[in-house]
């Protein structure tokens, strides 16, 4: 079926098609490498084990008018006892010049695992949260933020 | 840099087992190393790279900051009050300088 259809296409169209295909084949590989720097970091930290997608409360504006000051809050559901607590929370941004944004180290005496800060986002992108508990298990979530004016300078 | 002054809000009196919110703010330009000044020269990186909170000498919270943290870092976290004591907050600059502030909290 496909062969028959292809034969009907003129030489010019066929060339355009091929050009189009190769174009789309090359482009994703480039954007893949760039847009997943956050996921690459997550892979590095979890040593390839990956993290479980979880519905962690990650509060970010849907649209940030000013990328210089984007408020981010998160809260994890954890008993925060000596035997079961969230040890570390990382925040990554996949569209910033560097994926690392912040690393929070929690202790069970805090009683709750939540924090707020303000971050810079250079463009519209996904923000990832990766959490590690004291047993070495990883949880993650992400949220997209549309940035009107970028905030990384340059 | 005398212009760098931390500000912290800790409730003075709380009841036992209450989870209190601690708000911190420090005035700091957080030069990411990518911004340019009016002459088009790149401003070298200078950020606060670490923040920590100690309660009665024991570290309870620590945060590593990267250039993606905004100017005048604002950090909020929670703490479960168990006993009266003193918080020591410390910010560490790229140039090795530290800025600190202490706050007392009474648990009744």
């Amino acid at each position: 079926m496909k062969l028959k259809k292809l034969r009907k296409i003129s030489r010019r169209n066929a060339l355009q098609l091929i050009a189009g295909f190769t174009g789309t084949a090359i482009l994703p590989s480039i954007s893949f490498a760039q847009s997943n720097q956050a996921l690459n970091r997550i892979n590095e930290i979890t040593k390839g084990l990956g993290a479980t997608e979880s519905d962690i409360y990650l509060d970010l504006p849907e649209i940030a008018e000013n990328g210089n000051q984007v408020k981010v809050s998160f809260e994890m559901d954890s008993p925060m006892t000596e035997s079961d607590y969230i040890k570390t929370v990382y925040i990554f941004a996949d569209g910033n010049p560097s994926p690392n944004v912040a690393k929070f180290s929690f202790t069970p005496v805090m009683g709750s695992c939540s924090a707020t800060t303000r971050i810079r986002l250079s463009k519209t992108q996904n923000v990832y949260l990766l959490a590690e508990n004291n047993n070495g298990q990883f949880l993650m979530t992400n949220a997209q933020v549309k940035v009107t004016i970028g905030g990384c300078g340059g | 840099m005398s212009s760098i002054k931390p500000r912290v809000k800790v409730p003075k009196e709380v009841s036992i087992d209450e989870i209190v919110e601690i708000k911190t703010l420090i005035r700091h330009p957080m030069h990411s190393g990518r911004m340019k000044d009016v002459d088009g020269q790149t401003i070298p990186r200078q950020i606060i790279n670490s923040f920590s909170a100690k309660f009665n000498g024991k570290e309870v919270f620590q945060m590593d900051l990267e250039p993606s943290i905004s100017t005048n870092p604002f950090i909020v976290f929670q703490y479960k009050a168990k006993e009266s004591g003193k918080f020591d907050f410390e910010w560490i600059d790229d140039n090795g300088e530290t800025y600190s502030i202490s706050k007392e909290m009474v648990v009744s």
Side-chain angles (χ1 to χ4, degrees):
Chain A
M1 283 294 278
K2 271 189 180 173
L3 273 172
K4 272 185 186 171
K5 267 189 186 168
L6 273 176
R7 276 190 203 128
K8 282 179 191 165
I9 296 166
S10 72
R11 196 184 134 95
R12 178 174 293 177
N13 279 348
L15 281 172
Q16 279 174 347
L17 255 176
I18 291 163
F21 271 128
T22 47
T24 46
I26 293 163
L27 271 175
S29 63
I30 294 167
S31 57
F32 183 83
Q34 283 178 341
S35 72
N36 277 307
Q37 56 170 359
L39 289 178
N40 291 345
R41 280 290 294 142
I42 290 173
N43 240 330
E44 265 174 57
I45 289 166
T46 59
K47 299 189 180 74
L49 291 171
T52 321
E53 284 275 350
S54 168
D55 44 337
I56 301 159
Y57 175 74
L58 175 65
D59 188 23
L60 274 157
E62 252 176 68
I63 299 168
E65 279 184 18
N66 182 357
N68 268 315
Q69 298 263 339
V70 183
K71 192 175 170 187
V72 49
S73 318
F74 62 86
E75 187 162 359
M76 306 263 323
D77 194 14
S78 164
M80 294 304 274
T81 56
E82 284 290 341
S83 57
D84 184 8
Y85 68 96
I86 304 289
K87 199 170 69 177
T88 325
V89 172
Y90 301 86
I91 292 180
F92 303 115
D94 69 4
N96 272 6
S98 158
N100 299 338
V101 175
K103 179 186 165 194
F104 302 83
S105 305
F106 291 93
T107 53
V109 290
M110 294 176 78
S112 94
C113 177
S114 85
T116 302
T117 190
R118 286 198 285 243
I119 65 173
R120 290 175 176 143
L121 294 175
S122 63
K123 58 180 183 194
T124 297
Q125 58 182 287
N126 283 310
V127 174
Y128 290 82
L129 183 145
L130 176 71
E132 184 186 6
N133 72 7
N134 58 320
N135 300 317
Q137 285 165 322
F138 291 95
L139 298 169
M140 66 175 280
T141 189
N142 70 76
Q144 200 200 38
V145 185
K146 291 192 172 75
V147 178
T148 321
I149 303 166
C152 274
Chain B
M1 271 193 246
S2 58
S3 63
I4 296 170
K5 277 197 191 98
R7 277 198 292 164
V8 174
K9 206 168 162 189
V10 176
K12 282 195 183 77
E13 276 183 56
V14 295
S15 47
I16 194 155
D17 281 345
E18 190 182 331
I19 292 179
V20 296
E21 192 172 65
I22 293 154
K23 291 183 178 175
T24 75
L25 182 72
I26 186 163
R27 200 174 281 240
H28 192 283
M30 294 292 277
H31 293 308
S32 66
R34 302 183 68 86
M35 286 177 227
K36 292 185 172 73
D37 62 13
V38 280
D39 306 320
Q41 299 289 313
T42 305
I43 305 168
R45 174 185 147 147
Q46 197 196 349
I47 64 163
I48 284 177
N49 56 46
S50 174
F51 164 76
S52 69
K54 284 185 185 141
F55 189 70
N56 287 345
K58 195 176 163 237
E59 188 169 280
V60 293
F61 177 66
Q62 194 271 335
M63 178 180 168
D64 287 341
L65 291 82
E66 302 283 343
S68 291
I69 298 289
S70 302
T71 307
N72 303 339
F74 170 69
I75 304 160
V76 181
F77 63 95
Q78 294 182 330
Y79 184 76
K80 195 173 187 177
K82 283 275 180 202
E83 52 175 354
S84 303
K86 193 178 76 167
F87 275 109
D88 292 304
F89 302 96
E90 188 178 69
W91 291 258
I92 303 169
D93 200 313
D94 267 350
N95 65 11
E97 251 182 284
T98 61
Y99 317 103
S100 55
I101 192 168
S102 298
K103 290 274 175 185
E104 299 274 348
M105 187 173 75
V106 177
V107 175
S108 53

